[in-house]
Amino acid sequence: MILTVTLNTALDLTYRVPALVPHASHRVSQVIERPGGKGLNVARVLGALGHETVVTGFAGGPTGALLRDLLATGTAGLPGTVHDALVPTAGATRRTVAVVDAANGDTTQLNEPGPDITPAEWAAFTTRFTGLLDGARAVALCGSLPPGIHVGAYAELVRLARAAGIPVLLDTSGEPLRRGIAARPDVIKPNTEELAQLTGAREPHRATLDARRRGAHAVVTSLGPEGLLAATPDGLWQAAPPAPVRGNPTGAGDSAVAALLAGLVDGTDWPTRLTHATALSAATVLSPVAGEFDEEAYEALLPRITLTTPSPAS
């Protein structure tokens, strides 16, 4: 199985409106409610790809109870291949609200901060995490840290996974990424802004190579509509869709992470992993539901992804 960690889980609410107008009252045409947070989004996509996945992190309060109910029933797009190993917390799980403007496809996102995690709850989680490593083929550490968890938390989890011989992908930002990369994860997956904050370099090729020198075995950078850039032990590649896709980008990066994890456990080469990750990410943007992918678009895009080997100075 693949283990995904979401320390700051969320109940995702998506509101669709005909047009989003500031200072106006809106009639919502569609409401979608489902478990969220980056690692849960990754698990949803992995399940759709046929991979058995276990999700862990924290859940608490009425919102957390509803999130776990949705996981148990397999509703809201979560297949039965996703299993709940969340740790209870006294604080209430956060909510995120995405307002989708049907007129232009733009999305406005509102994210709550998450519950305060106590030292005892963190200790319970690390015990659960260590136990789950037995039987895991890969681990994904995803998203922000809720209040109360120290900034070196991901570095601690990377070291635990590496000590158990389990490959680990880290997808976070800021100081947790800076600390985590020093623990030498197998893969990190920043976007260009997160990469610039980490390295101080704005040129993506140079920044990606710099991030790899800081400790990551491989760095896969999201370039938004331009696809993915990867610096790996086997070389430097850029994978791009045939044309920029328009739609809702929510969850596109999580779909890329899912494809990279699937490629990791399946043992495919880096060009194949990047091709699938780019196609899956673009198909997520094209999906009418935020954070899910359009299967027909995914299959259609796969043979049309362009793979190049750019120079760092390009």
Side-chain angles (χ1 to χ4, degrees):
M1 61 89 172
I2 298 174
L3 176 63
T4 73
V5 174
T6 312
L7 296 177
N8 208 6
T9 58
L11 181 67
D12 285 348
L13 300 172
T14 300
Y15 295 149
R16 191 173 182 88
V17 298
L20 183 61
V21 181
H23 315 299
S25 177
H26 296 78
R27 185 175 297 277
V28 177
S29 60
Q30 183 184 35
V31 180
I32 299 172
E33 186 177 62
R34 66 180 186 185
K38 292 181 73 65
L40 284 168
N41 294 338
V42 170
R44 177 187 296 108
V45 176
L46 282 169
L49 295 174
H51 287 271
E52 198 81 9
T53 310
V54 173
V55 297
T56 190
F58 295 101
T63 309
L66 177 55
L67 182 152
R68 300 189 80 168
D69 285 345
L70 292 172
L71 278 172
T73 58
T75 58
L78 280 163
T81 50
V82 179
H83 305 286
D84 177 0
L86 295 166
V87 174
T89 180
T93 295
R94 66 188 177 130
R95 294 159 299 183
T96 67
V97 179
V99 182
V100 180
D101 186 328
N104 57 25
D106 288 343
T107 301
T108 299
Q109 191 85 16
L110 304 173
N111 296 330
E112 296 179 359
D116 280 290
I117 304 301
T118 67
E121 289 167 345
W122 175 248
F125 170 79
T126 55
T127 299
R128 174 72 57 87
F129 176 77
T130 303
L132 290 169
L133 290 174
D134 184 17
R137 300 178 65 193
V139 175
L141 307 174
C142 304
S144 62
L145 299 178
I149 294 184
H150 63 95
V151 294
Y154 280 136
E156 180 181 343
L157 299 181
V158 169
R159 293 188 185 100
L160 287 171
R162 287 182 57 83
I166 310 300
V168 56
L169 183 151
L170 176 62
D171 183 14
T172 189
S173 61
E175 191 61 22
L177 175 59
R178 189 180 305 278
R179 301 283 186 93
I181 198 173
R184 305 186 65 82
D186 293 86
V187 186
I188 65 168
K189 208 286 304 164
N191 60 34
T192 51
E193 183 58 35
E194 293 162 350
L195 193 64
Q197 292 175 1
L198 174 69
T199 66
R202 288 283 173 182
E203 199 283 310
H205 301 85
R206 184 174 294 108
T208 299
L209 291 169
D210 184 7
R212 185 164 181 259
R213 285 190 289 267
R214 291 169 184 253
H217 194 61
V219 179
V220 180
T221 302
S222 173
L223 304 177
E226 297 177 14
L228 298 171
L229 175 67
T232 79
D234 299 328
L236 180 72
W237 289 281
Q238 182 170 340
V245 294
R246 184 173 181 81
N248 185 354
T250 304
D254 301 329
S255 290
V257 168
L260 293 172
L261 284 167
L264 176 64
V265 300
D266 291 341
T268 58
D269 59 30
W270 271 106
T272 302
R273 294 185 210 181
L274 294 170
T275 297
H276 281 265
T278 303
L280 197 60
S281 180
T284 301
V285 175
L286 293 170
S287 172
V289 178
E292 297 182 10
F293 68 94
D294 184 313
E295 293 188 27
E296 290 185 4
Y298 173 48
E299 295 295 336
L301 281 164
L302 270 175
R304 303 175 63 203
I305 300 299
T306 301
L307 199 68
T308 58
T309 53
S311 69
S314 64

